[in-house]
Amino acid sequence: MTTTSPRPPRAAGPPAGPAPLAVLRPVRTATRYAVRHGLPAVYLARAARRGDPVGLLLRDRASREDPYDLYERLRARGPLSRSALGPVTTSHAVATEVLRSDAAGVGWDRSQAPALIRWALRFGDELDATGVAEPPSMLVTDPPGHTRFRRLVSRAFTPRATLASEPMVQRTAEALLDRLTGRGDVVDLVEAYAAQLPVLVIADLLGVPVERREDFLRWGAAAAATLDPGLPLRRYLAAERGLRAMHAFLRGHFDRLRRDPGEDLVSRLVTLPEDEALTERELHATVMLLLGAGFETTVNLLGNAVVLLDAHRDQWDALRADPAGWDGAVEEVLRHDSPVQLTGRTITRGTEVAGTRLPAGTRVTLLLGAANRDPGVFGDPARFDVTRANARDHLAFSGGIHYCLGAGLARLEGVVGLRVLSERFPRLRVAGRPVRRDLQTLRGFETLPVRLG
Ligand code: HEM
């Protein structure tokens, strides 16, 4: 392991923003809210009133709960259609092309924004309020920064490392279900299992204290909302409280590891040799992304799977009879009801996409959940079929250089988590109305009442 003696982080790197004068904090929060969510909210609400599909998707609760009709209406307009947010695609081929294109990136070129917006972004910038989809998170960083961040952590997510985690994932799943054995009442499966398994697994892998898992879940649930544009003020403030609590925890955790590093990934990141070291901001962004992405997405895979298999009971029974089918079942759940519904890319140099010339600076919205139901790739795409031969061709983990780093781990948690659940509680049934999370980018359930049988 390439570690050196513990020492403070480098001071160099992206500007940390103005000194956090306590008296200015509410003004900065208001500025941040206005520029990141308030203005987009007004704009999107207007677009939704005009019937703009992306406006509806992001502002209308019913369309958020079930976006699939809207996706089909968009698909009927062609592979790349116009929307309030710019060009948007439901096409698997176009989404794949954009994700792999070297003329598209994840960064935003702020230099093109009006001066007032640029000032507001700078003034509102504060490490402790920074979410997982803000720089320098690798999710929104282009090469060479992206290459550097990803290389530093990818060792922990190689196929070999993932395979080595299987016994831990299985033990964790079984221990959670042990606690539920004998419960005859209705149980919220999200709270008791689907949310717990991913957070315990990622905490174990990153070496963060598992005892804090309820805190992580609370902070993460609030912060997940920041992935959606145009949040109402109250939800934004709750999200920011979650982010601040998470950053405060991380700061203390990094300090402890600098004094007394272990063998885990985070210890390695805080003690990198001088020439590789991450700035404080980069360290927060990287660990927060790994932690958040590790549990805020996989919970949705598990919940969506249980609801789909309850509605297709013959397929649940077939999987119980032949557990080798769980790999395919997980791919079909990822395709049919994708935990991450959309992402975006910015065109970095003028290029043609689906016959349309897109100038540099154009933001393209990629509806991954719609691409995964593209009839040109998946026959009878609205049908849920765990034996579908090409289910794995989905874009649920994105594509190109930002392809999900944790895809192997998520698949493992899905397969092991669902197999163990079906073995332990073969008669499990949904027992009440599952409630969707009020989110657009992420798609899953807030509560999932089940009777274990
Ligand atoms: C079912 C579960 C999951 C789904 C559906 C999912 C989906 C995604 C998607 C769609 C992206 C790329 C977004 C884009 O291209 O703009 C992504 C990136 C990422 N995911 Fe996942 N993810 C899951 C689980 C995980 C887990 C368990 C981890 C573990 C740490 C993880 C870590 C990451 C990281 C670090 C990135 C950023 C990669 C980069 O920018 O190079 N994900 N994920």
Side-chain angles (χ1 to χ4, degrees):
M1 205 162 70
T2 46
T3 57
T4 59
S5 55
R7 50 163 178 61
R10 265 191 324 176
L21 268 180
V23 61
L24 279 183
R25 196 199 252 190
V27 186
R28 292 176 80 184
T29 298
T31 307
R32 192 161 46 241
Y33 171 74
V35 74
R36 289 189 181 278
H37 292 278
L39 291 175
V42 173
Y43 178 71
L44 287 167
R46 267 204 209 141
R49 278 199 296 278
R50 282 199 317 271
D52 181 273
V54 175
L56 280 169
L57 202 61
L58 295 168
R59 298 304 301 169
D60 174 47
R61 174 108 204 208
S63 307
R64 277 206 301 274
E65 288 220 346
D66 183 0
Y68 294 110
D69 280 351
L70 209 113
Y71 290 165
E72 291 319 309
R73 272 187 275 147
L74 264 173
R75 199 187 310 283
R77 295 185 183 184
L80 192 70
S81 49
R82 284 174 188 285
S83 79
L85 284 189
V88 54
T89 189
T90 54
S91 152
H92 189 282
V94 173
T96 306
E97 180 188 334
V98 173
L99 289 170
R100 292 183 185 165
S101 169
D102 58 9
V106 287
W108 293 78
D109 182 5
R110 290 184 179 183
S111 65
Q112 303 303 316
L116 186 64
I117 301 282
R118 287 205 310 275
W119 171 85
L121 285 167
R122 262 200 321 276
F123 178 71
D125 182 42
E126 201 186 333
L127 189 159
D128 281 10
T130 305
V132 295
E134 288 175 62
S137 158
M138 81 174 91
L139 201 55
V140 288
T141 301
D142 290 318
H146 173 262
T147 322
R148 179 172 150 246
F149 299 146
R150 188 153 169 143
R151 204 177 35 225
L152 284 175
V153 296
S154 55
R155 202 191 306 170
F157 298 94
T158 59
R160 183 199 288 239
T162 303
L163 197 65
S165 315
E166 182 164 354
M168 180 270 286
V169 174
Q170 170 123 6
R171 258 195 329 271
T172 309
E174 284 174 347
L176 286 168
L177 295 180
D178 283 347
R179 294 197 323 208
L180 298 180
T181 303
R183 292 268 302 258
D185 54 337
V186 171
V187 172
D188 176 4
L189 197 70
V190 167
E191 190 196 7
Y193 187 61
Q196 297 288 332
L197 179 63
V199 77
L200 288 170
V201 167
I202 196 70
D204 184 289
L205 289 180
L206 294 183
V208 298
V210 292
E211 316 81 66
R212 299 298 297 269
R213 68 178 183 274
E214 294 302 335
D215 288 332
F216 298 149
L217 285 171
R218 212 175 45 254
W219 302 334
T226 58
L227 294 174
D228 294 342
L231 287 182
L233 180 62
R234 214 145 47 99
R235 289 193 67 200
Y236 175 75
L237 292 176
E240 198 174 295
R241 278 195 297 278
L243 289 172
R244 286 186 186 283
M246 187 82 96
H247 282 294
F249 160 77
L250 289 178
R251 187 166 293 116
H253 188 57
F254 297 154
D255 286 347
R256 278 189 295 281
L257 295 185
R258 282 188 187 109
R259 287 194 300 273
D260 184 17
E263 289 296 305
D264 55 87
L265 175 63
V266 183
S267 291
R268 194 164 64 77
L269 290 177
V270 298
T271 57
L272 285 166
E274 188 73 34
D275 56 337
E276 280 186 277
L278 295 169
T279 64
E280 188 71 359
R281 195 172 258 245
E282 290 167 348
L283 195 55
H284 276 252
T286 304
V287 178
M288 184 132 119
L289 174 65
L290 292 175
L291 192 58
F295 66 79
E296 275 301 325
T297 47
T298 315
V299 53
N300 304 330
L301 164 62
L302 294 170
N304 294 352
V306 169
V307 171
L308 281 166
L309 289 165
D310 185 70
H312 299 84
R313 199 62 185 174
D314 51 330
Q315 303 194 37
W316 169 266
D317 291 339
L319 288 163
R320 279 184 41 229
D322 179 14
W326 279 112
D327 290 309
V330 163
E331 300 305 329
E332 178 65 348
V333 173
L334 287 164
R335 182 198 73 82
H336 189 274
D337 205 17
S338 309
V340 177
Q341 286 280 310
L342 59 100
T343 185
R345 291 293 185 266
T346 305
I347 300 300
T348 49
R349 67 183 142 78
T351 188
E352 191 158 304
V353 174
T356 305
R357 188 83 201 154
L358 300 180
T362 309
R363 185 76 184 164
V364 187
T365 300
L366 312 173
L367 296 174
L368 302 176
N372 289 338
R373 290 188 178 207
D374 186 333
V377 178
F378 305 104
D380 196 1
R383 188 165 52 89
F384 177 71
D385 176 3
V386 297
T387 65
R388 186 182 288 277
N390 68 343
R392 206 180 157 102
D393 293 342
H394 63 70
L395 297 177
F397 291 124
S398 188
I401 61 170
H402 294 273
Y403 181 81
C404 176
L405 182 68
L409 179 63
R411 287 183 158 118
L412 176 71
E413 290 180 52
V415 170
V416 173
L418 292 166
R419 180 170 39 73
V420 172
L421 180 69
S422 73
E423 285 165 0
R424 189 69 71 87
F425 299 114
R427 287 193 301 278
L428 178 146
R429 292 308 311 240
V430 173
R433 198 175 75 84
V435 176
R436 284 270 176 206
R437 303 175 75 180
D438 188 16
L439 299 172
Q440 182 50 54
T441 305
L442 300 181
R443 179 165 173 81
F445 290 99
E446 181 82 45
T447 54
L448 172 46
V450 299
R451 212 175 274 286
L452 296 167

